[in-house]
Amino acid sequence: MTRKKPVLTIDGASGTGKGVVGQLVATRLGWNLLDSGALYRVLALAAQKHGVALENEPALEVLAEHLDVQFKVIETGVPPHILLEGQDVTETIRTEKMGNAASKVGTLPAVRTALLSRQRAFREPPGLVTDGRDMGTVVFPDAEIKIFLTASAKERARRRYNQLKEKGIDVNLDDLVGELLERDKRDQERAVAPLRPAVDAIRIDTDTLTIEQVVERIMSEVRKIFSSIH
Ligand code: DC
């Protein structure tokens, strides 16, 4: 069942490790990578830049349709630099505030529709690894392999806490758990494309696994389906 443009989707809540795991799997396979969350984050930043309210669906739809975003690969194996209107926003979009704003714009059906074809355009040979919330359910329902990562809220908050500490950013662990649960609730309960596993997704609970172990689990699924890949 090998096709010219196979897709491997990795969905899950924030802090399940899907971003880093997706990057590593894409590098191992030599496939293209789409971090769909980055698109929602860039859109939220564009809204802020142009003074558009996060609830203004018609204006956000127009902004999404014309979003001038570029994913610039600088080095293989390293996340691409992300440019909004030519300006490097790689770091700016990674804050908790932007994650929350992205989650808010992600509740709007017109925004999701406007971003669909842009996401599907990443499906190019030799293949695509993509991570997000609805990659396996809505954007690439015919993906060859669908992974759904889970982890407890406590473990996800702890990972985020360590990441922020490393960057020298002081945060409170309980606040992080609260914010995370609020974002989960919004992402899971929205009317369109809510965060949930596709019926044919393989679930991996990452609580007690290292990143390398998660990558290895996914690679073993890839090997089962694509016997030519080692
Ligand atoms: O994966 P992330 O933390 O960068 O995503 C930020 C937010 O963007 C997430 O809370 C909800 C939204 N999002 C979405 O609605 N659909 C996606 N496929 C990816 C992200």
Side-chain angles (χ1 to χ4, degrees):
M1 71 176 290
T2 39
R3 273 190 268 161
K4 268 204 213 121
K5 301 177 184 176
V7 182
L8 187 162
T9 60
I10 307 176
D11 287 305
S14 56
T16 48
K18 58 190 187 334
V20 59
V21 165
Q23 174 74 55
L24 289 166
V25 171
T27 305
R28 285 228 198 147
L29 291 170
W31 288 8
N32 301 298
L33 176 71
L34 165 64
D35 164 8
S36 64
L39 277 180
Y40 288 89
R41 286 172 184 262
V42 169
L43 179 62
L45 183 61
Q48 184 181 302
K49 193 172 162 186
H50 296 288
V52 173
L54 298 179
E55 302 76 33
N56 187 343
E57 189 165 6
L60 284 164
E61 180 185 16
V62 174
L63 209 54
E65 276 166 358
H66 299 280
L67 194 65
D68 175 7
V69 58
Q70 279 172 271
F71 291 79
K72 219 169 154 183
V73 179
I74 309 279
E75 207 185 319
T76 316
V78 175
H81 279 219
I82 298 169
L83 308 185
L84 167 62
E85 294 160 17
Q87 196 189 349
D88 195 321
V89 297
T90 316
E91 291 296 322
T92 323
I93 60 165
R94 289 295 151 204
T95 61
E96 295 305 294
K97 191 172 160 247
M98 274 307 146
N100 255 313
S103 165
K104 283 184 188 156
V105 299
T107 61
L108 306 172
V111 162
R112 304 201 72 85
T113 305
L115 292 180
L116 259 186
S117 58
R118 202 183 277 266
Q119 294 175 85
R120 289 182 177 149
F122 279 79
R123 188 175 199 163
E124 283 293 330
L128 174 68
V129 175
T130 177
D131 77 86
R133 304 290 186 293
D134 61 338
M135 296 297 102
T137 50
V138 175
V139 184
F140 300 105
D142 62 338
E144 278 76 2
I145 306 180
K146 300 178 184 178
I147 306 289
F148 193 81
L149 298 183
T150 59
S152 65
K154 209 172 147 200
E155 175 59 22
R156 291 186 287 129
R158 198 190 58 79
R159 289 175 188 167
R160 188 74 187 128
Y161 179 82
N162 289 341
Q163 274 176 358
L164 293 171
K165 267 270 151 98
E166 262 175 38
K167 287 189 189 165
I169 303 169
D170 217 12
V171 280
N172 175 296
L173 188 59
D174 290 337
D175 288 350
L176 270 185
V177 176
E179 280 170 22
L180 210 116
L181 292 176
E182 191 189 322
R183 180 130 74 99
D184 282 1
K185 190 168 153 49
R186 196 186 302 114
D187 292 349
Q188 285 161 354
E189 292 181 359
R190 67 178 173 227
V192 177
L195 167 65
R196 63 176 160 76
V199 282
D200 48 350
I202 299 157
R203 293 177 189 231
I204 304 175
D205 179 15
T206 69
D207 255 10
T208 59
L209 299 178
T210 62
I211 286 172
E212 193 42 48
Q213 286 170 324
V214 178
V215 170
E216 202 28 63
R217 278 283 308 278
I218 296 176
M219 288 304 294
S220 73
E221 296 297 336
V222 173
R223 284 189 289 264
K224 272 190 226 162
I225 295 196
F226 303 99
S227 46
S228 58
I229 292 176
H230 299 289

